[in-house]
Amino acid sequence: MRSLKLASVFLVVAVLSACAAGVQNVSKEPFPANASKLSLAEIEETIVETATSREWIVQREGQGHLTATYAPRTHSATVTIYFDQKQFSIVYADSTNLQYNGKTIHRNYNRWVNTLKQDILRAVSARAALAN
């Protein structure tokens, strides 16, 4: 009976740890070369539109600095986005119900941030391609 309880506990721990991953920040991700055609204001506008289209709520904190929160259902993730005309970063700021323990977080967080990163890269590239 004791070995059954021990096996059950081990199984629960294994399942819960499979849902967690290290927090992946985006650090100094370069924009495509053609992004240099865009002003800082155009890059900011593109990032805000892109994040908003994925249901992130974005607030401007200052030049080259945004805060974005994604809150599906009972979970939420807040990130800080730093950017200039050459690169951008997305950095973990806070979360609710994502099992963050200082090192790991629910794997959905990393998926959301990676999707946001890819969307920003595509949108900035597309806007730059249309710029004069």
Side-chain angles (χ1 to χ4, degrees), residues 107-120:
R107 66 178 181 244
N108 283 350
Y109 168 83
N110 290 330
R111 187 171 46 88
W112 298 336
V113 169
N114 188 53
T115 299
L116 181 60
K117 175 185 99 170
Q118 295 303 323
D119 287 351
I120 290 170

Side-chain angles (χ1 to χ4, degrees), residues 59-109:
Q59 293 180 309
R60 185 175 197 271
E61 302 294 336
Q63 186 171 342
H65 182 191
L66 303 169
T67 299
T69 301
Y70 182 62
R73 300 168 301 283
T74 61
H75 310 335
S76 73
T78 300
V79 297
T80 303
I81 304 171
Y82 300 101
F83 61 94
D84 58 27
Q85 289 177 284
K86 295 180 181 180
Q87 62 193 7
F88 70 102
S89 298
I90 303 172
V91 180
Y92 174 88
D94 195 17
S95 63
T96 303
N97 293 332
L98 290 176
Q99 304 160 351
Y100 180 66
N101 67 8
K103 293 183 182 180
T104 62
I105 195 163
H106 194 283
R107 66 178 181 244
N108 283 350
Y109 168 83

Side-chain angles (χ1 to χ4, degrees), residues 16-32:
L16 290 177
S17 65
C19 293
V23 175
Q24 294 179 4
N25 291 314
V26 175
S27 182
K28 299 181 179 179
E29 180 73 25
F31 286 122

